Amino acid sequence: MNAKERILGKLRASLQGTTPVADDYDVGLLTEPWRYGDETRIARLRQMLEAVHGETLLTTSAEWPARVVEALSARNIDELLISPATAHGQQFAGHLALTGSALRLKAYDRPVEAWKDELFFHTPASLTGTLGGIAATGSLVLWPTPQEPRLMSLVPPFHIALLKASEVRDNFHEFMHEHRWAAGLPTNALLVSGPSKTADIQQTLAYGAHGPKELLVLILEDA
Amino acid sequence: MSNPAQTPAQPITFKRNAREALADPQLRRNFRGAMDFLMDKRRSQFPDGDELERLRAFGNRVRARALSKLPELLERLDANLSRNGVRVHWAETVEEANAIVHGIVERHAAKKIIKGKSMVSEEMEMNHYLGDRGVDCLESDMGEFIVQLREEKPAHIIMPAIHLNAGQVAQLFHDKLDVDYTEDVDRLIQIGRETLRRKFFEADIGVSGVNFAIAETGTLLLVENEGNGRMSTTVPPVHIAVTGIEKVVENLRDVIPLLSLLTRSATGQAITTYVNMISSPRKADELDGPQEVHLVLLDNGRSQAFADGELRQTLNCIRCGACMNHCPVYTRIGGHAYGTVYPGPIGKIITPHMLGLETTRDLPTASSMCGACGEVCPVKIPIPSLLRRLREEAVRPPAAEPHHMRGQGAKYSKKETMIWKAWRKLNTSPGLYRAAMYAGTRLRGLMPANIGPWTEHRSAPKPAARTLHELAREHLGDQ
Ligand code: SF4
């Protein structure tokens, strides 16, 4: 008998003659206190994100590239990691070409091993899309893909995320249910709520522990 | 330092540790401040008492349901993770778990490990085990990093460096990392960030814990604020997650109430910065993520707790730390005094299953039984009654059936048993009782002034001149 069989054997013996506890999942408790309605949903998301040092900006699907350029230039950043294979990546590249911006774009187009040093030490900012947002907790839902890999939202000190207002839901239960998460999850699904932080030294909050020091969420009101 | 991986022959010296901690005013100030802070934060997250109570009951049922089908769920978890490409290993003891991890390390000829926060790896003393075999394990959670630099153990399961203030961390970084002395917390965190970023970059293997393992989808869920958990589970080519067998939940949606309870109870946050759900290693078309993901499922005494319907509730724990934050004993002596990986109320009910009652016999008695731990526990573990039960197990004759705790009877004493027998006889025989009370009141002058620890800080009790019965009779007559 191996360890698995021995452990399971012990557990089974302990359960002999018992019946499993019924599933009386209380959906109402996870949704009712966390409803916002169309007027306040985005306000709630922004308030929650800003309370944890996230920055949010209302914009539109036509204007967001200009907002990204402004945010980068305000920080003296001249380089952005972006996925050219996504629609938003292409839109942003088009915007730069049109405006003749000097901003350099960097693509995550090789396995991380091929450019780890550059990613870790010479990539100041990144832009990614999101699957949506959750108003109750002020969370972005990230669903990394081969086009927008996991480390894009983690390693660069400044992370800009695009969020369609229409993809924001009131609470986690609603989001998970609507997107049928139980039917299949990607390699690494994520909720991100603000920039990285810690209160490990004398309960004093400090941002930028290991992940992004700054998180800017561009909320596209017309999308 | 004692190594819990190898059962220490000597009982944990809880009483001496507690005395030393009580004599350290700096430590007491640090803990008092930290616990007040955490209690306030938690309170602010639960403004609606009714919601809190319903959610606690819900959390309790979700956990109880998972435990009521634990073997089935573990098998489903194993099957679904395997289908997703994650390799699952099972270990009955910490020695087995360490050997499994070491086997993976050796296969990859790995030399450098970066760790996210994991209490189970503390249980395993993994750093020590691998360190002895030439493998360097570095903690990457800021608090864990700090305690590792001090060659200490975490003092709290959520905030490992809670026993230190900024000045102490400043001095530590100055001494160990060769940086200018600064008490500016932002600067200190940036020093930690810069030091550790290089280590994530270089690591051969990342190790993490697991907050919830989801049977339905084959997913490992981790919560954290710093991003070190994400780094440790994404950057190195191999990720090893270690967890106890009780951490499984049935369905993906079951994590919603538990997450809400965990983050609000632990640090008073609506949610942590990152909720990381890992379901597979890097796929063929993906550009990052580990090539291999392993899960080590550890028993280490959990199946013993599971064997008893009452003690099984111990395994409901979601490791939020609220019980320690609200415990008057923990607040005064701090986490290290317990001498165990899990301190405070949860430690007192889980550690005896891991190490046996021989070495942990003092822990169940280290409680004022005020009930605060049971009242705050988000999954309603009746900690005080489990403590009482463990006290009973410790004094039950070693061979008594039906349930066998390891170390059952560690505090059993024939003398004490005789005394309690005599006590019962006295209290159930009216004539004997009256005679004893008469003697006790009339001979009250013989009561010694010094009765051991009781009189260290209090005056000795003195029987009254007349018993209550006598006084009542005087006032009321023989009615
Ligand atoms: S016993 Fe309850 S309060 Fe204590 S850590 Fe576990 S879940 Fe939290």
Side-chain angles (χ1 to χ4, degrees):
Chain A
M1 258 210 294
N2 59 26
K4 175 178 174 177
E5 287 158 359
R6 277 194 300 272
I7 292 171
L8 288 174
K10 277 191 264 182
L11 298 178
R12 286 224 160 84
S14 306
L15 283 180
Q16 239 167 33
T18 63
T19 38
V21 172
D23 187 354
D24 51 357
Y25 197 85
D26 190 347
V27 176
L29 188 55
L30 303 178
T31 52
E32 292 315 323
W34 315 101
R35 289 219 184 280
Y36 304 97
D38 289 343
E39 309 74 45
T40 47
R41 186 176 304 122
I42 298 297
R44 163 82 185 192
L45 176 103
R46 296 184 71 188
Q47 176 217 331
M48 292 302 283
L49 264 168
E50 281 163 17
V52 290
H53 228 72
E55 214 181 309
T56 66
L57 208 59
L58 294 178
T59 179
T60 63
S61 49
E63 277 172 10
W64 69 261
R67 299 289 92 81
V68 172
V69 173
E70 281 162 22
L72 292 171
S73 80
R75 291 164 177 79
N76 280 324
I77 296 174
D78 58 2
E79 199 170 44
L80 180 69
L81 177 63
I82 197 165
S83 168
T86 56
H88 51 265
Q90 281 155 14
Q91 185 185 350
F92 190 72
H95 172 84
L96 289 193
L98 214 68
T99 53
S101 163
L103 191 69
R104 284 197 308 280
L105 292 186
K106 197 183 273 184
Y108 200 148
D109 51 6
R110 297 151 281 168
V112 61
E113 291 75 14
W115 69 298
K116 205 168 165 187
D117 187 79
E118 202 183 331
L119 172 66
F120 264 71
F121 304 108
H122 308 283
T123 303
S126 66
L127 171 84
T128 73
T130 61
L131 190 66
I134 296 165
T137 48
S139 308
L140 303 175
V141 183
L142 265 68
W143 199 262
T145 59
Q147 290 73 41
E148 281 187 343
R150 296 161 69 166
L151 292 173
M152 272 184 93
S153 58
L154 180 63
V155 175
F158 181 33
H159 174 211
I160 306 174
L162 289 180
L163 172 65
K164 293 178 181 162
S166 60
E167 296 294 353
V168 178
R169 296 292 171 269
D170 285 342
N171 52 67
F172 192 17
H173 185 272
E174 207 178 302
F175 199 101
M176 193 185 264
H177 189 71
E178 193 181 308
H179 286 264
R180 299 171 36 84
W181 279 19
L185 285 169
T187 305
N188 181 206
L190 280 167
L191 305 186
V192 174
S193 316
S196 139
K197 65 172 181 286
T198 181
D200 270 353
I201 301 181
Q202 208 179 315
Q203 303 92 55
T204 310
L205 205 51
Y207 289 91
H210 295 295
K213 297 176 186 178
E214 284 185 275
L215 170 70
L216 170 63
V217 183
L218 298 176
I219 302 169
L220 314 186
E221 289 187 287
D222 60 342
Chain B
M1 186 159 293
S2 73
N3 177 4
Q6 302 144 10
T7 305
Q10 291 300 313
I12 289 163
T13 54
F14 175 76
K15 287 182 184 166
R16 198 181 67 213
N17 300 350
R19 220 169 274 134
E20 281 169 15
L22 287 171
D24 181 344
Q26 178 69 63
L27 186 86
R28 293 187 61 174
R29 257 196 308 278
N30 292 355
F31 268 99
R32 178 82 264 168
M35 296 305 108
D36 287 348
F37 170 82
L38 287 168
M39 285 194 281
D40 280 351
K41 292 256 292 174
R42 172 186 172 276
R43 207 173 300 123
S44 69
Q45 278 297 329
F46 293 110
D48 179 348
D50 182 49
E51 189 240 1
L52 170 62
E53 284 318 305
R54 284 179 59 199
L55 197 57
R56 287 177 75 216
F58 189 7
N60 174 279
R61 285 200 310 276
V62 169
R63 289 298 300 135
R65 168 158 51 85
L67 292 180
S68 77
K69 354 179 152 167
L70 184 60
E72 176 197 328
L73 295 188
L74 283 168
E75 283 196 308
R76 258 177 87 192
L77 177 75
D78 187 337
N80 284 333
L81 279 169
S82 306
R83 192 201 57 209
N84 294 349
V86 175
R87 298 182 209 176
V88 183
H89 312 261
W90 299 65
E92 281 187 285
T93 62
V94 293
E95 289 80 6
E96 277 175 37
N98 275 323
I100 290 167
V101 172
H102 188 234
I104 301 168
V105 167
E106 279 201 311
R107 214 157 8 83
H108 291 274
K111 286 277 165 255
K112 290 177 182 169
I113 291 188
I114 191 91
K115 290 176 66 201
K117 210 172 151 334
S118 155
M119 293 310 293
V120 172
S121 74
E122 295 284 343
E123 244 177 76
M124 292 160 60
E125 289 255 320
M126 187 196 284
N127 294 1
H128 188 107
Y129 182 95
L130 293 178
D132 282 352
R133 288 155 184 81
V135 184
D136 187 28
C137 290
L138 187 72
E139 299 292 343
S140 63
D141 169 272
M142 285 297 175
E144 294 262 0
F145 175 62
I146 291 165
V147 296
Q148 190 180 29
L149 279 182
R150 281 174 61 101
E151 294 174 31
E152 277 179 352
K153 297 276 140 201
H156 188 278
I157 63 172
I158 300 291
M159 307 198 101
I162 203 158
H163 56 302
L164 304 171
N165 59 27
Q168 290 167 300
V169 177
Q171 192 59 50
L172 177 74
F173 278 16
H174 174 66
D175 294 344
K176 300 268 170 138
L177 301 178
D178 201 21
V179 292
D180 289 343
Y181 182 93
T182 170
E183 289 187 17
D184 176 19
V185 171
D186 274 320
R187 182 69 206 120
L188 289 169
I189 294 298
Q190 288 314 304
I191 293 167
R193 177 188 173 103
E194 282 150 30
T195 310
L196 287 163
R197 193 153 261 238
R198 187 53 54 205
K199 305 290 182 183
F200 289 118
F201 180 81
E202 292 167 350
D204 305 310
I205 292 183
V207 169
S208 78
V210 174
N211 292 95
F212 305 112
I214 302 149
E216 179 182 32
T217 51
T219 300
L220 308 175
L221 184 145
L222 275 83
V223 297
E224 54 138 355
N225 284 311
E226 297 185 2
N228 69 306
R230 287 188 65 198
M231 285 278 196
S232 307
T233 57
T234 315
V235 181
V238 178
H239 167 209
I240 305 173
V242 290
T243 193
I245 49 172
E246 82 283 20
K247 283 289 179 76
V248 64
V249 295
E250 184 171 15
N251 300 316
L252 183 60
R253 65 179 192 164
D254 287 337
V255 302
I256 302 175
L258 296 179
L259 256 181
S260 179
L261 284 165
L262 172 61
T263 62
R264 292 202 273 172
S265 306
T267 45
Q269 292 176 275
I271 196 160
T272 49
T273 304
Y274 301 112
V275 177
N276 195 2
M277 289 163 263
I278 298 168
S279 299
S280 82
R282 182 191 304 197
K283 296 199 175 116
D285 57 348
E286 289 177 329
L287 302 178
D288 61 21
Q291 313 277 3
E292 269 182 38
V293 178
H294 297 261
L295 174 69
V296 181
L297 288 165
L298 174 65
D299 181 340
N300 192 25
R302 289 162 172 86
S303 57
Q304 177 189 273
F306 190 82
D308 181 280
E310 186 186 21
L311 297 172
R312 185 178 304 159
Q313 298 176 91
T314 310
L315 305 178
N316 279 343
C317 178
I318 55 173
R319 306 282 190 263
C320 70
C323 54
M324 51 196 77
N325 302 345
H326 290 74
C327 174
V329 177
Y330 178 91
T331 304
R332 283 162 181 80
I333 63 174
H336 287 150
Y338 294 84
T340 54
V341 170
Y342 302 95
I346 176 58
K348 288 183 277 193
I349 59 171
I350 188 77
T351 316
H353 295 285
M354 294 172 176
L355 301 183
L357 275 167
E358 301 97 332
T359 54
T360 58
R361 67 182 76 153
D362 284 336
L363 294 183
T365 56
S367 168
S368 66
M369 290 291 191
C370 71
C373 49
E375 258 169 49
V376 293
C377 177
V379 285
K380 289 177 86 87
I381 300 175
I383 302 172
S385 57
L386 296 182
L387 285 171
R388 215 163 31 228
R389 172 68 192 281
L390 290 172
R391 289 179 184 184
E392 235 173 85
E393 295 295 332
V395 296
R396 254 150 54 86
E401 296 280 2
H403 181 66
H404 274 291
M405 281 275 311
R406 207 170 122 208
Q408 171 180 308
K411 273 197 156 185
Y412 173 75
S413 121
K414 259 213 164 99
K415 194 167 122 201
E416 196 180 340
T417 313
M418 296 302 290
I419 291 173
W420 284 116
K421 265 201 182 133
W423 175 262
R424 190 165 67 210
K425 180 84 192 137
L426 184 70
N427 281 280
T428 50
S429 323
L432 208 56
Y433 179 82
R434 265 196 297 274
M437 289 306 117
Y438 185 83
T441 47
R442 292 340 184 253
L443 302 176
R444 58 201 281 266
L446 298 180
M447 182 80 193
N450 178 350
I451 46 170
W454 177 265
T455 36
E456 267 174 37
H457 302 289
R458 306 174 190 85
S459 47
K462 200 165 191 184
R466 294 285 175 273
T467 67
L468 183 64
H469 284 171
E470 285 174 296
L471 292 175
R473 210 170 295 125
E474 260 171 41
H475 277 283
L476 305 171
D478 270 327
Q479 289 184 356

